[in-house]
Amino acid sequence: SAVISQKPSRDICQRGTSLTIQCQVDSQVTMMFWYRQQPGQSLTLIATANQGSEATYESGFVIDKFPISRPNLTFSTLTVSNMSPEDSSIYLCSAAGGKRLYEQYFGPGTRLTVT
Amino acid sequence: AQSVTQLGSHVSVSEGALVLLRCNYSSSVPPYLFWYVQYPNQGLQLLLKYTSAATLVKGINGFEAEFKKSETSFHLTKPSAHMSDAAEYFCAVSGGSNDYKLSFGAGTTVTVRA
């Protein structure tokens, strides 16, 4: 299984600013994903981070608000742009690779509070 | 499209008692099903998975789940609860070998009484 780290682990930001979250995997993986977990809620998929091409966004999420980069097979970033208090959530990245692409492993999450 | 429904947002059990968490799925293709656990202030940990092999799946920490196609269910059980089982549990589904995106249920919070 892959070991995934995220930076920062938590942050408090002012509305109107942007925050970039980093996700690092300890091995090369085929698939990387970004999820949002709003307070007391389940996880919702934001997008699939594609290596070398634009991310694939789910309904309700747009690139201007959540730009994603994936420059190589072990690293991805998610930016939360022009933040509002409604963006206060935990943001998690996950990865899958090898022969078990269906099996996702998750990072510890980034807890974001927007004031 | 795939989705899961978890019955019961909160389950309270006594230490040593059976833990039963319910999950029903909806899928237009043979599903892959997962149970994840989330401890406070942590990410998700994979407990177990069903990928069309054996219908009774054993996972970590003494948990197991049974895939029942006729009931479209994938309930999670543990014979004897331990205090360390207190956490939130999520059932998730994907569309199988060609669709890796996960759809999560709403989650079930488990508390364990001493």
Side-chain angles (χ1 to χ4, degrees):
Chain A
S1 64
V3 177
I4 302 169
S5 59
Q6 287 184 233
K7 290 183 182 179
S9 59
R10 58 178 62 227
D11 206 343
I12 301 173
C13 301
Q14 291 190 342
R15 68 173 67 207
T17 63
S18 298
L19 176 72
T20 296
I21 302 168
Q22 298 179 5
C23 178
Q24 179 73 55
V25 189
D26 69 341
S27 59
Q28 293 186 343
V29 291
T30 305
M31 315 284 288
M32 293 185 76
F33 303 89
W34 286 97
Y35 292 83
R36 180 175 72 182
Q37 186 178 22
Q38 294 178 300
Q41 303 294 318
S42 185
L43 284 79
T44 301
L45 179 63
I46 297 172
T48 303
N50 301 309
Q51 193 267 328
S53 65
E54 197 169 281
T56 304
Y57 290 83
E58 297 301 304
S59 176
F61 297 96
V62 295
I63 187 171
D64 290 346
K65 177 66 175 177
F66 297 102
I68 288 170
S69 77
R70 190 177 172 195
N72 56 51
L73 293 176
T74 63
F75 186 77
S76 178
T77 66
L78 168 74
T79 299
V80 186
S81 302
N82 188 25
M83 289 184 285
S84 67
E86 291 71 35
D87 295 320
S88 297
S89 296
I90 299 173
Y91 292 87
L92 298 104
C93 72
S94 71
K99 297 181 179 180
R100 298 179 177 177
L101 294 177
Y102 51 80
E103 196 166 302
Q104 291 185 32
Y105 293 90
F106 283 79
T110 295
R111 186 178 296 271
L112 171 63
T113 302
V114 183
T115 60
Chain B
Q2 295 77 40
S3 66
V4 292
T5 301
Q6 291 183 241
L7 300 176
S9 60
H10 187 225
V11 169
S12 180
V13 299
S14 297
E15 192 173 20
L18 171 72
V19 179
L20 170 61
L21 305 183
R22 300 178 187 275
C23 174
N24 288 89
Y25 70 90
S26 172
S27 179
S28 56
V29 297
Y32 283 13
L33 291 156
F34 308 83
W35 277 99
Y36 284 88
V37 60
Q38 185 177 36
Y39 298 102
N41 300 314
Q42 295 187 28
L44 274 69
Q45 181 181 7
L46 180 63
L47 273 178
L48 50 76
K49 59 185 180 289
Y50 166 78
T51 58
S52 75
T55 57
L56 181 62
V57 181
K58 295 188 183 297
I60 62 172
N61 302 338
F63 285 94
E64 64 180 35
E66 186 171 9
F67 173 74
K68 292 187 176 180
K69 184 178 180 180
S70 61
E71 299 178 7
T72 61
S73 69
F74 190 58
H75 301 332
L76 181 71
T77 60
K78 182 174 180 178
S80 178
H82 191 272
M83 298 298 288
S84 61
D85 295 325
E88 183 140 25
Y89 293 79
F90 293 96
C91 182
V93 64
S94 71
S97 59
N98 292 320
D99 178 5
Y100 306 114
K101 297 186 293 185
L102 290 174
S103 295
F104 284 86
T108 299
T109 300
V110 172
T111 56
V112 182
R113 305 185 304 272

